[in-house]
Amino acid sequence: MLYFLIGCVISGAIAGGLGRLILPGRQEIGWFATIAAGTVAAAVGTGIAYLLGFTDKAWLVLVVQLLLAVGCVAVVSNMSGSKKSRS
């Protein structure tokens, strides 16, 4: 379980960073929010890959994680942007 969490944080940091690069425009979120969004995407992406039965194909797992990371970064960025626009 500990190795899974460490792996999620490491792959989440990478996926979150790549997600920010892929997402067009400027994201007004910090590095912690990027890593957190990527970690959630990595954990959920691994779970989805396990449920779909392609955990033996690492590149498919990474594609799922990256797609989810782009979505998570977009959601966190929109939540952060909506707070700033209210002020």
Side-chain angles (χ1 to χ4, degrees):
M1 181 69 176
L2 181 64
Y3 292 120
F4 175 75
L5 293 175
I6 292 171
C8 282
V9 171
I10 292 171
S11 63
I14 295 168
L18 289 174
R20 280 187 72 170
L21 288 174
I22 292 172
L23 197 63
R26 181 170 169 85
Q27 293 81 39
E28 297 291 335
I29 60 174
W31 61 270
F32 183 76
T34 302
I35 293 173
T39 301
V40 169
V44 172
T46 303
I48 290 173
Y50 177 76
L51 290 174
L52 294 176
F54 53 82
T55 55
D56 57 336
K57 295 174 179 65
W59 66 274
L60 282 174
V61 175
L62 292 174
V63 167
V64 171
Q65 289 176 348
L66 186 58
L67 291 174
L68 288 172
V70 169
C72 285
V73 167
V75 167
V76 170
S77 179
N78 284 337
M79 288 173 36
S80 172
S82 65
K83 289 180 184 176
K84 288 183 180 181
S85 65
R86 291 182 197 163
S87 303

